[in-house]
Amino acid sequence: MDLRGAWALTFLRRSIEPLAIALIVTGWLSTTLVMIDASEIGLLERFGKLTAEPLDPGLHLVLPWPMSRVERVPLHRVKEIPIGFTGERAGASVLWTVQHAEEEYKLLLGDGRDLVTVNASLHYRIKNPIDYVYSVQNPDETLGIQADLSL
């Protein structure tokens, strides 16, 4: 019997629990650091209530999760929602009889004699981040549905 192996095994048994606890606490405390990108703004919620001032781009120190939560909103980025298609080949020439994307659908407009299919993209930028996050549950999906209904 090797005594060095028994000592190492005993040391490992004694140190695994404190090491696991230290890793969990370190991971939890790492949620106090929040990085906001240059094209984003951060909406900070403390104990479920929105704070008055949004977080500017940069590194911020906040309370750890679940006491605070940061919702990042891309203000300066132009977002895009496809209307009538969801495939990668949006600009390609397509036939009506061939499906070109997994979730593709045809948006047909017409008066009964002439039919037109519409494949378009809606480009938008978020103006009011609080309304964007807190007015509707899924703002991108809602905007896509409204765009489809308006055609």
Side-chain angles (χ1 to χ4, degrees), residues 19-99:
L19 182 62
I21 291 171
L23 284 174
I24 290 171
V25 169
T26 303
W28 180 65
L29 289 176
S30 71
T31 62
T32 61
L33 293 174
V34 175
M35 181 66 184
I36 306 294
D37 192 36
S39 64
E40 296 175 337
I41 195 167
L43 300 177
L44 176 65
E45 291 180 2
R46 283 198 186 125
F47 301 106
K49 298 199 183 226
L50 184 65
T51 60
E53 291 295 319
L55 298 177
D56 293 327
L59 186 64
H60 299 276
L61 187 66
V62 296
L63 292 174
W65 177 88
M67 292 176 264
S68 68
R69 186 176 77 89
V70 175
E71 181 76 31
R72 292 173 181 84
V73 181
L75 276 185
H76 305 294
R77 257 185 281 187
V78 175
K79 297 181 83 175
E80 177 182 6
I81 295 177
I83 302 170
F85 64 94
T86 57
E88 299 170 359
R89 298 174 42 199
S93 176
V94 296
L95 297 174
W96 285 19
T97 58
V98 180
Q99 183 176 357

Side-chain angles (χ1 to χ4, degrees), residues 80-86 105 107 120 122 124 136-151:
E80 177 182 6
I81 295 177
I83 302 170
F85 64 94
T86 57
Y105 62 93
L107 180 61
L122 174 66
Y124 67 98
V136 181
Q137 186 173 1
N138 296 323
D140 293 331
E141 185 178 333
T142 304
L143 188 58
I145 291 170
Q146 287 297 322
D148 285 340
L149 291 176
S150 66
L151 291 176

